Every structure is written in structure tokens, then in C-alpha cells.
Amino acid sequence: ILNVEQSPQSLHVQEGDSTNFTCSFPSSNFYALHWYRWETAKSPEALFVMTLNGDEKKKGRISATLNTKEGYSYLYIKGSQPEDSATYLCASNPGNQFYFGTGTSLTVIP
Amino acid sequence: ETGVTQTPRHLVMGMTNKKSLKCEQHLGHNAMYWYKQSAKKPLELMFVYNFKEQTENNSVPSRFSPECPNSSHLFLHLHTLQPEDSALYLCASSQVGQSYNEQFFGPGTRLTVL
């Protein structure tokens, strides 16, 4: 079993604030790190697949970085909007099996 | 829309009932998965099917019985469940060997066992 940890567990920010959260994973046998956005009552939606140390990916106001040597990834949201409210999950898959963190629940207050 | 659908979305059943959860993927993938999510816990892999063959069974009790009749459909048959089996059950699919096995999820079935 791979131990994937996310912090913080939950976060409340004001609309317009920028925020970031962390995913930690074992750095040995690293293959890929996945970020998902999960709104209540909907399917988790893939945001990024990150594979190379130093990778930085961006989708609109959301970006992510990866450090495979120390085993962490950051997700950043710039200028948070109420529609960004969701749970953000990360998962590491050293092979075919995914190991998920417990997620960071983000609430953006208008 | 992720291309993975699940029915029903909500299910309430007694401990002596038998019910089934259904998952269908429209993505042409060759692998399908069942996950369980209990409150405050990470998504927990239950079963994996690659090319319709079960390749993983993560010590799941026999009261959960998966079935994969073809690469697009996956069922989870439930019988004599316990209240602690109440959880969100998610289905996912992927194309093994592509995009680092990126998984696409359905919206889940919220199961309550009385």
C-alpha cells in the first residue's frame, strides 16, 4: 500500500484569493501523479497527469508542480471563484493501481 | 461528462436484500475498476478488470461479487451486506498502457445499508 497524503484537509477562502495545497507521495518507484477535481454529486474530473520532476502544468487559473525527488506536488488556484469549490484529489500510480489521498475540500466564499 | 455512467445513483437496501450496481463506459477502454469511498477515507480500490479478466481483488468480502460481461460493462452484485458497507461506490475505466493509465470516473452510487 502506498501512502499518499494531502493537506490541508479543508480550506475556506474568499473569492479572489489565491490558494494552494499539497500532495505528498513516496518518491521511490514513481511513475505518475494525477490531480482530480471532484464536485459534489458529480464524477471526479481529471485535471493533470504529471510525470517528470520539475513538471509544471497549467489549465486556466489552476496550475500544478511536481517534485519527484522529495515526493510532493502542489496545486495552485489563482483568483479563486465560487465555482472552484470542490474536493481536489491526488493519486500516485507506480503501475496500474492508483493510490489516492483523502482530498482537500475547498470552499470559496463569495 | 466523463463517458462513464453508473446506475442507480442512490440505493437503500436491507441486510437481506440482493441488489446490483451497474457501470457502463463509452470510451473504448480496456480496463474497469470498482472503488469504495467511506467518509474521511481515501478512495479504496476493490476490483480491477483488464480485458474482461479480473486482475485485482483487494481482499474484498465475498458479499461483493463483480461481473464484467464485456469491456464496456461492469456490475457489482451485492448480497447480505452490513451497515458498515454504506458508502459511495465509484466505477472507473482506463486504457491500460496509455496516458499513464489515466482513469475516468462515473458519478458513483450512494449506498445505504439499513
Side-chain angles (χ1 to χ4, degrees):
Chain A
I1 294 183
L2 217 67
N3 193 27
V4 177
E5 296 183 349
Q6 291 188 248
S7 63
Q9 189 174 348
S10 65
L11 197 54
H12 290 71
V13 301
Q14 291 292 136
E15 182 176 352
D17 286 352
S18 294
T19 187
N20 66 85
F21 17 96
T22 306
C23 173
S24 302
F25 54 88
S27 54
S28 57
N29 298 318
F30 176 81
Y31 181 57
L33 191 283
H34 303 254
W35 280 103
Y36 286 86
R37 179 172 177 276
W38 192 6
E39 287 183 73
T40 303
K42 294 189 177 180
S43 306
E45 170 198 347
L47 285 175
F48 304 111
V49 181
M50 308 189 75
T51 58
L52 297 175
N53 186 43
D55 243 357
E56 181 168 347
K57 296 204 172 180
K58 191 173 178 182
K59 187 183 282 191
R61 294 178 291 98
I62 304 177
S63 60
T65 61
L66 179 68
N67 183 322
T68 60
K69 296 186 181 197
E70 295 181 41
Y72 64 84
S73 175
Y74 293 137
L75 190 81
Y76 299 92
I77 302 179
K78 186 177 176 183
S80 304
Q81 300 296 308
E83 58 266 30
D84 296 328
S85 297
T87 295
Y88 292 82
L89 289 177
C90 70
S92 180
N93 66 316
N96 285 341
Q97 186 158 340
F98 276 45
Y99 297 89
F100 284 87
T102 50
T104 293
S105 173
L106 174 67
T107 303
V108 181
I109 304 162
Chain B
E1 290 293 329
T2 60
V4 181
T5 57
Q6 288 186 243
T7 54
R9 295 292 307 275
H10 299 271
L11 179 62
V12 179
M13 59 188 288
M15 289 192 284
T16 57
N17 290 159
K18 288 185 182 181
K19 296 284 184 185
S20 296
L21 310 185
K22 179 183 174 183
C23 175
E24 184 173 359
Q25 58 99 357
H26 310 274
L27 300 167
H29 288 164
N30 56 19
M32 296 186 77
Y33 311 79
W34 279 117
Y35 286 90
K36 175 183 178 182
Q37 197 201 26
S38 306
K40 307 285 187 190
K41 289 188 177 180
L43 282 173
E44 184 185 332
L45 181 66
M46 299 174 73
F47 300 106
V48 181
Y49 277 83
N50 280 349
F51 299 96
K52 301 185 296 176
E53 298 293 322
Q54 185 177 316
T55 57
E56 293 281 344
N57 173 346
N58 282 357
S59 304
V60 181
S62 59
R63 57 186 184 269
F64 294 92
S65 172
E67 179 191 359
C68 188
N70 56 60
S71 58
S72 299
H73 293 86
L74 185 64
F75 295 89
L76 189 62
H77 304 300
L78 316 171
H79 61 100
T80 58
L81 293 193
Q82 304 298 308
E84 60 264 29
D85 296 322
S86 298
L88 181 69
Y89 290 85
L90 283 166
C91 172
S93 71
S94 73
Q95 185 66 15
V96 174
Q98 290 187 10
S99 300
Y100 299 90
N101 200 31
E102 183 178 4
Q103 295 189 6
F104 293 77
F105 286 86
T109 295
R110 174 69 61 187
L111 174 67
T112 303
V113 182
L114 301 176

